[in-house]
Amino acid sequence: MTEMVLKIILEKEDIKVISAKTQFDLANLYGKSAMLDAVAVDSNGKTYNIEVQKQREGAAPKRARYNSSLLDIHGLKSGGEYSDLPETYIIFLTEKDVIGDNLPIYHIDRCILETNKLFGDESHIIYVNGENKSDTGLGRLMQDFTSADYESMHYEMLAKEVNFLKNNERSASSMCDIMEKALQEAREEARKEAKEEARRETEEMAYRVYKAEKAKETAEKAKETAEKATRESKRLTIKKLLDKNKMSYEEIAEVASATLAEVEEIARTA
């Protein structure tokens, strides 16, 4: 379905999606992460983020900017060149005309203001107006997204999806509602998975700390045992040399790697 939607929105029949994933979590090491509704990659390496938003706030311009930046961060591998960044599309399917200029679709690209020429960074943002119900491919797609009757839908793939979901007891009045509900369920599932993963990581960290403490304790005991054995060995050596009574205390201390005080102490207790 992702491939079909992209072909209609971009008016390109040659798009071939090779991977698509819903609820794609893009982490940001330096700030806020984002849970994207859907991310797809085509056969040319172009990356698409498709967001279904019923509320104006969810399709704010800076949300589009942030999603685009996250795709860039994750699109460039360590050691890669900036020229390796893939062409990206941030696409919002909105129930209302959030831009407000009564157009069916809005294409946003960076341009040079002085020359009105495209900047050419291959970063694109697209808003699709859900209020557009024209007799065009895009208009018919939006009709289907807001239709409650799958039998009257123009696109068979969407009709089958709505029919399947409704027959599986998902309470929704339109494709847009169904997708919103499905995405909300996916978000909840993603949150549960993230919570479980955090719990596992916490337990693993606690176990690693425990093992480190035990290793430290073992090392300290081994060091204590070795020092005790060294002291006992030194004491026996000094005692044997004292028993022979052939060396001065100073000589015994030098031979046994001991201090004169240690030799005198053992001599007094012998």
Side-chain angles (χ1 to χ4, degrees):
M1 188 173 70
T2 302
E3 184 176 298
M4 183 199 74
V5 170
L6 288 174
K7 285 180 178 180
I8 296 170
I9 292 174
L10 300 176
E11 297 183 323
K12 294 180 180 179
E13 287 298 321
D14 60 344
I15 293 177
K16 181 66 177 177
V17 171
I18 59 175
S19 70
K21 183 177 181 180
T22 59
Q23 285 302 294
F24 199 79
D25 187 10
L26 288 184
N28 178 7
L29 294 177
Y30 306 103
K32 183 177 180 180
S33 299
M35 186 71 75
L36 308 186
D37 283 350
V39 173
V41 179
D42 71 12
S43 56
N44 294 316
K46 297 177 183 179
T47 304
Y48 307 86
N49 165 218
I50 302 175
E51 298 281 324
V52 177
Q53 295 293 340
K54 297 187 69 177
Q55 303 299 323
R56 184 182 299 271
E57 294 77 12
K62 288 189 177 180
R63 167 75 184 275
R65 170 183 164 185
Y66 191 73
N67 284 11
S68 180
S69 69
L70 285 178
L71 288 183
D72 284 344
I73 290 172
H74 287 262
L76 188 62
K77 295 180 180 179
S78 178
E81 301 293 335
Y82 295 120
S83 58
D84 296 331
L85 278 170
E87 188 169 358
T88 60
Y89 290 82
I90 305 297
I91 301 172
F92 284 104
L93 302 178
T94 61
E95 189 176 39
K96 302 295 182 180
D97 182 5
V98 299
I99 302 296
D101 287 329
N102 199 31
L103 293 174
I105 190 169
Y106 302 89
H107 295 83
I108 298 100
D109 288 286
R110 288 189 178 94
C111 72
I112 303 169
L113 295 179
E114 289 75 11
T115 63
N116 204 31
K117 292 181 179 179
L118 289 176
F119 186 47
D121 63 347
E122 296 189 333
S123 173
H124 314 283
I125 297 171
I126 297 174
Y127 282 76
V128 182
N129 178 9
E131 292 183 305
N132 166 43
K133 303 296 192 299
S134 61
D135 189 23
T136 62
L138 186 61
R140 289 189 290 273
L141 178 66
M142 291 301 98
Q143 290 176 43
D144 286 358
F145 263 85
T146 54
S147 174
D149 181 12
Y150 68 88
E151 292 182 347
S152 65
M153 287 185 169
H154 300 86
Y155 295 100
E156 184 180 356
M157 189 177 296
L158 290 180
K160 287 182 177 179
E161 185 73 9
V162 172
N163 184 29
F164 171 78
L165 294 175
K166 284 193 171 184
N167 287 335
N168 281 273
E169 299 180 351
R170 290 194 187 225
S171 58
S173 59
S174 67
M175 185 65 191
C176 188
D177 291 332
I178 288 173
M179 289 191 70
E180 183 70 19
K181 183 175 177 62
L183 290 169
Q184 182 60 36
E185 291 176 359
R187 290 186 189 104
E188 290 300 322
E189 185 63 28
R191 290 190 188 99
K192 289 179 182 178
E193 290 179 0
K195 185 176 181 181
E196 179 62 21
E197 184 177 354
R199 184 190 64 79
R200 288 196 301 268
E201 289 179 354
T202 300
E203 289 181 351
E204 289 174 2
M205 177 61 73
Y207 180 65
R208 287 196 293 269
V209 170
Y210 169 76
K211 286 183 65 177
E213 289 295 327
K214 293 298 290 185
K216 181 180 178 182
E217 182 181 333
T218 300
E220 289 176 350
K221 286 183 178 180
K223 181 181 178 182
E224 182 181 341
T225 300
E227 289 175 348
K228 184 177 180 181
T230 299
R231 290 194 299 270
E232 181 61 17
S233 176
K234 184 188 294 186
R235 189 187 70 79
L236 292 175
T237 299
I238 292 172
K239 191 172 183 307
K240 287 180 180 178
L241 293 174
L242 287 170
D243 289 343
K244 291 182 179 180
N245 199 24
K246 292 182 179 181
M247 300 173 67
S248 66
Y249 285 3
E250 290 79 3
E251 290 173 330
I252 291 173
E254 183 178 354
V255 170
S257 298
T259 64
L260 182 60
E262 287 177 319
V263 175
E264 290 174 343
E265 176 64 25
I266 293 173
R268 283 195 299 271
T269 58

